[in-house]
Amino acid sequence: MSLVLVGTTTVYFHNTPRYWVRAMTFAPYFWNERDGEKLSTQVKTLAAKNKVDAGVITATLNSSLFYWWFTILSDCRHLNTREIDHFPLGASQMDQQLKQELSYWCEELMHDYRHHTIRKECQYKTTGRVSYDEFYPRHSKEIIDKIDCILAQHYGFTDEELDFIINYIKYRMGQDGDNGDGEE
């Protein structure tokens, strides 16, 4: 079963992940002189049935498990609905308590994303001045780890498998200033 559920609650995701998938339950701020405030062309949307399912989807997209899966089965540069559709979440078989926990941690993650957001500005010939919010998921790694622990319960992972998912890609945290955060 695919990750995407048809419905009326919107999930937003950046289609150029680099080291972190950035998915949100809110539209990230983007403005330019030519067009005003709008959704960035780098942000795509998914529809969920309700707020809890939107939280499950958003939490899953931000998880290290999803990122690991994405790096194995994609070009590692573009996140398309094709990759999302083929992720084997099994939401319809997921325990309701786990869904509630994922939804809760999604809200915490969205709060943390907003807390660590920096509004950036740049200049382009075609659109003029551009202003956008840049997100730093590495600051939210503890919350993302909690999401991965819940997903590990859903999938029945061993402690070793969970440890691999949480720690396999330590370079995402960055030591040299290139930590994979932000919009690009």
Side-chain angles (χ1 to χ4, degrees), residues 5-11 25 46-58 96 99-100 103:
L5 306 169
V6 177
T8 59
T9 305
T10 304
V11 173
T25 56
L46 303 170
K49 289 181 184 177
N50 54 51
K51 184 179 177 184
V52 171
D53 285 344
V56 169
I57 292 168
T58 305
Q96 289 301 316
K99 281 186 173 184
Q100 291 295 328
S103 183

Side-chain angles (χ1 to χ4, degrees), residues 82-149:
R82 173 184 63 242
E83 288 88 18
I84 295 169
D85 284 343
H86 288 95
F87 184 77
L89 180 60
S92 62
Q93 293 85 30
M94 185 178 283
D95 179 82
Q96 289 301 316
Q97 179 63 34
L98 294 181
K99 281 186 173 184
Q100 291 295 328
E101 289 177 36
L102 284 172
S103 183
Y104 169 80
W105 286 110
C106 176
E107 287 181 32
E108 293 295 309
L109 182 61
M110 296 302 98
H111 174 75
D112 209 51
Y113 274 9
R114 284 184 169 123
H115 176 73
H116 293 105
T117 298
I118 296 176
R119 180 118 338 138
K120 299 273 186 133
E121 289 195 7
C122 53
Q123 186 75 27
Y124 292 99
K125 285 184 180 181
T126 56
T127 58
R129 190 168 51 99
V130 174
S131 179
Y132 60 93
D133 283 349
E134 189 166 276
F135 300 92
Y136 295 87
R138 72 181 165 103
H139 296 301
S140 306
K141 179 77 165 79
E142 286 183 29
I143 297 170
I144 293 169
D145 288 350
K146 291 180 188 304
I147 290 167
D148 280 304
C149 288

